Amino acid sequence: MKLKSIKILIDEIDYKLGRIEFFKDKLEKWENKEGKEYKQSLRRLAKLVDETTNLLQIMKIEELDNFKEYEEIAKKLEQA
């Protein structure tokens, strides 16, 4: 991969990881866990986890050296 493509991939992964943390925190503090918004947030979190896992798999195939920084995170996301 070109250096610019690697940077874009890393930036996208970092952004999605930040969003995952945001949704996890938001969901933990949610009072009405039966509401529509809560369920939508759960689906969004699941989608973010899937998207991030896919990006990490691409990184693992294309850029193994950079992937090593994210290896533990990838394992945790795959278990989620």
Side-chain angles (χ1 to χ4, degrees), residues 8-79:
I8 291 169
L9 181 63
I10 290 171
D11 288 347
E12 186 68 19
I13 290 169
D14 289 342
Y15 170 77
K16 288 186 184 293
L17 289 171
R19 297 297 294 162
I20 288 169
E21 287 302 314
F22 169 79
F23 274 99
K24 282 183 177 180
D25 289 342
K26 184 177 176 181
L27 289 167
E28 284 177 13
K29 296 174 185 173
W30 213 293
E31 289 182 23
N32 180 12
K33 298 191 183 217
E34 299 298 321
K36 180 181 176 184
E37 292 89 10
Y38 180 80
K39 292 176 183 177
Q40 287 174 335
S41 292
L42 276 177
R43 285 193 299 272
R44 180 63 182 134
L45 176 60
K47 184 176 178 182
L48 282 166
V49 169
D50 286 343
E51 291 171 354
T52 306
T53 300
N54 291 338
L55 290 173
L56 287 168
Q57 289 173 348
I58 291 168
M59 181 184 277
K60 184 177 182 179
I61 293 167
E62 297 289 332
E63 295 297 326
L64 190 56
D65 291 339
N66 289 322
F67 175 75
K68 290 178 183 177
E69 295 176 37
Y70 294 92
E71 195 165 10
E72 289 300 315
I73 294 169
K75 288 177 185 176
K76 288 179 184 177
L77 289 176
E78 288 173 357
Q79 294 173 354

